[in-house]
Amino acid sequence: MRRSLIQVTVLAVVLSVIITAISLVIDWFPEQASTSADDVDLLYDVLLIVSVPIFVLVMTVVVYSVVRFRARPGDDRDGDPIHGNARLEIAWIAIPTVLVTALAVYAWVVLDDQEDPRPDTMLVNVRAGQFAWRFEYPQPGGQSVRSNELYLPKDRPVQFRIKTDDVVHSFWIPEFRIKQDTVPGIVTRTQTVPSRAGDYDVVCAELCGLGHSTMRQQVHVMEGDRFASWIGARRQALAAAAPEPGRQVFTTYGCAGCHTLEDAGAAAATGPSLDGLAEVYDKRNPRLSLEAYVRQSIVDPKALVVPGFRADGMPANYSSQLSRAEIDTLVDYLARASSSSSGPGTAATVPPPAGPPR
Ligand SMILES: [Cu+2]
């Protein structure tokens, strides 16, 4: 018995040293591109140093016992009865408790450190939706510079405020060693300081639907002056873009409270979606042109109730609330926006007006 114990102990120690060494030599992660990376990689190494020997010890004892104490052919004796061993039981409860608690405290300290507020932090709003990321840089005055790729200045702290338009996603930049879930209904945050110029992947790390694997974009970390000229150009374009009067009417009169329209940033579902309306309106009422259909839906909503929606869902007094010019502007805008948001080319497929214009 004593000989077996010595043998298995020596074997477990030797294997632990070898396999832990191998696990530390393996290059698990991509290059480090943020100030968070060092601490996270060290944490990972400590986890390896603590957990690999335990795994190796358990597996060594299992394999050793299976081989050394296996029943030989013809041997059908039972083993000796085993009684409890209080000292052993206390040890196998106390040691894991101490280990797991210590690791949890250490991990908490690392996370707390990462989340410390830093001076001069830049704010980026991240919007997740099946199956793409969108990035918004809030500007003074309430507008935001929008981008489909993430651009960041090197060496400047950045905080990401992350929202999702649909399901749970996870915002992950492996080179930064940051990852944060997006949760419907709340804003989650993470932050870091990019420390190395280059292009890296922004990945969704939470299975979020059929297109999950395609939910990948790029982050471009650039020198501060190059970033300043990028955001400056975007800011100018934002200021130069003529405001869309129809969108103004749409938001002013609360249309966004009930309808989805990508062009206006509306995503409500109480009323029918206006995205892609150009493709379906003539199946609902083949007598009207798109413009006439939209106009009638606004001034006399009960006449054209979309199946599946309530007849009294849409207020019937818009014809008196909006001026004639506002209605014209809104109709013109919705006819354009509802076809452009369903994808390229759909505007060309809109059939010519078939019904009587008003
Ligand atoms: Cu996703």
Side-chain angles (χ1 to χ4, degrees), residues 81-101:
I82 296 170
H83 299 283
N85 184 325
R87 246 194 288 172
L88 196 58
E89 284 169 27
I90 289 169
W92 83 46
I93 290 171
I95 294 174
T97 305
V98 170
L99 278 178
V100 172
T101 309

Side-chain angles (χ1 to χ4, degrees), residues 10-313:
V10 171
L11 201 58
V13 169
V14 172
L15 285 175
S16 288
V17 171
I18 294 171
I19 297 177
T20 307
I22 293 173
S23 75
L24 290 176
V25 168
I26 293 174
D27 213 1
W28 297 98
F29 299 119
E31 63 178 311
Q32 301 183 333
S34 85
T35 54
S36 316
D38 263 337
D39 289 346
V40 172
D41 290 1
L42 180 63
L43 172 67
Y44 191 77
D45 283 345
V46 172
L47 289 176
L48 284 177
I49 291 167
V50 176
S51 57
V52 170
I54 294 173
F55 177 77
V56 173
L57 171 70
V58 171
M59 295 318 290
T60 308
V61 172
V62 168
V63 173
Y64 182 91
S65 304
V66 165
V67 174
R68 176 96 165 72
F69 304 115
R70 69 186 187 279
R72 304 281 144 58
D75 175 6
D76 50 6
R77 286 172 304 156
D78 257 348
D80 294 333
I82 296 170
H83 299 283
N85 184 325
R87 246 194 288 172
L88 196 58
E89 284 169 27
I90 289 169
W92 83 46
I93 290 171
I95 294 174
T97 305
V98 170
L99 278 178
V100 172
T101 309
L103 289 176
V105 169
Y106 172 35
W108 183 81
V109 169
V110 172
L111 182 64
D112 194 53
D113 220 39
Q114 307 279 356
E115 291 178 348
D116 248 2
R118 301 187 178 94
D120 192 32
T121 292
M122 184 175 87
L123 189 69
V124 177
N125 291 321
V126 179
R127 297 282 293 269
Q130 289 164 319
F131 298 97
W133 301 102
R134 284 174 297 148
F135 306 99
E136 299 169 356
Y137 302 77
Q139 301 299 313
Q143 282 190 303
S144 288
V145 166
R146 291 164 209 272
S147 173
N148 289 332
E149 307 255 282
L150 180 57
Y151 292 83
L152 295 174
K154 184 172 155 290
D155 297 328
R156 166 132 187 233
V158 56
Q159 187 188 62
F160 303 100
R161 298 201 181 156
I162 311 163
K163 267 196 205 170
T164 171
D165 292 336
D166 38 54
V167 300
V168 175
H169 302 269
S170 191
F171 176 72
W172 183 29
I173 301 174
E175 280 82 357
F176 287 2
R177 308 293 193 272
I178 57 168
K179 187 199 278 176
Q180 176 65 55
D181 277 10
T182 74
V183 182
I186 64 171
V187 180
T188 51
R189 286 147 207 252
T190 184
Q191 61 178 35
T192 190
V193 185
S195 60
R196 186 190 184 108
D199 303 329
Y200 315 105
D201 282 339
V202 180
V203 186
C204 178
E206 187 68 57
L207 185 59
C208 58
L210 272 183
H212 165 66
S213 64
T214 65
M215 198 165 162
R216 239 167 216 268
Q217 274 138 265
Q218 289 251 296
V219 50
H220 310 281
V221 179
M222 37 189 29
E223 298 298 334
D225 49 344
R226 280 196 58 213
F227 175 80
S229 58
W230 175 81
I231 193 102
R234 290 299 184 110
R235 222 178 260 150
Q236 272 179 6
L238 192 67
E244 165 67 65
R247 194 186 295 127
Q248 287 271 323
V249 178
F250 186 84
T251 27
T252 307
Y253 286 95
C255 309
C258 290
H259 295 282
T260 291
L261 183 65
E262 196 186 332
D263 186 81
T270 311
S273 169
L274 305 178
D275 283 335
L277 181 64
E279 289 180 327
V280 297
Y281 80 96
D282 55 335
K283 294 185 191 74
R284 295 183 192 156
N285 190 326
R287 290 187 306 105
L288 299 176
S289 69
L290 176 58
E291 286 77 8
Y293 177 89
V294 170
R295 186 180 297 273
Q296 180 151 14
S297 304
I298 296 168
V299 298
D300 187 11
K302 284 200 176 57
L304 289 170
V305 178
V306 178
F309 292 92
R310 292 166 47 151
D312 60 350

